[in-house]
Amino acid sequence: MSTMNISLPEALKSFVDQQVAGRGFGTSSEYVRELIRKDQDRQRLRGLLLEGGQSAPGATADAPYFERLRSRVRGV
């Protein structure tokens, strides 16, 4: 694992310390890693949404559509 040092203004360091103490993180590094993972997830989701927005329209998600899905899941 690599090491990265960051400098924070006192107000941000206090905020991080509060988050670590109040949300069950063992260290500030765990908290920062979680923030980075969430940002990666948001970026992936954004990419998927943009990709979906550029794709051709699919089936209409109406009541008959969901009933067909239920039937497939039930194996009918």
Side-chain angles (χ1 to χ4, degrees):
M1 185 176 297
S2 297
T3 300
M4 177 184 285
N5 295 313
I6 61 169
S7 298
L8 298 174
E10 188 57 40
L12 289 179
K13 184 182 180 314
S14 294
F15 178 79
V16 169
D17 292 341
Q18 289 171 356
Q19 297 306 301
V20 169
R23 295 176 53 194
F25 293 100
T27 65
S28 56
S29 291
E30 289 178 12
Y31 176 67
V32 171
R33 282 192 294 269
E34 181 65 18
L35 292 176
I36 293 168
R37 285 186 201 101
K38 286 184 178 184
D39 192 43
Q40 286 176 324
D41 290 344
R42 277 191 296 272
Q43 287 184 25
R44 278 189 218 106
L45 178 59
R46 182 175 173 15
L48 290 170
L49 289 170
L50 289 171
E51 182 182 322
Q54 294 171 355
S55 66
T60 302
D62 54 8
Y65 171 82
F66 286 106
E67 190 52 45
R68 287 190 303 275
L69 286 177
R70 287 185 197 95
S71 294
R72 283 179 39 201
V73 169
R74 291 184 201 118
V76 176

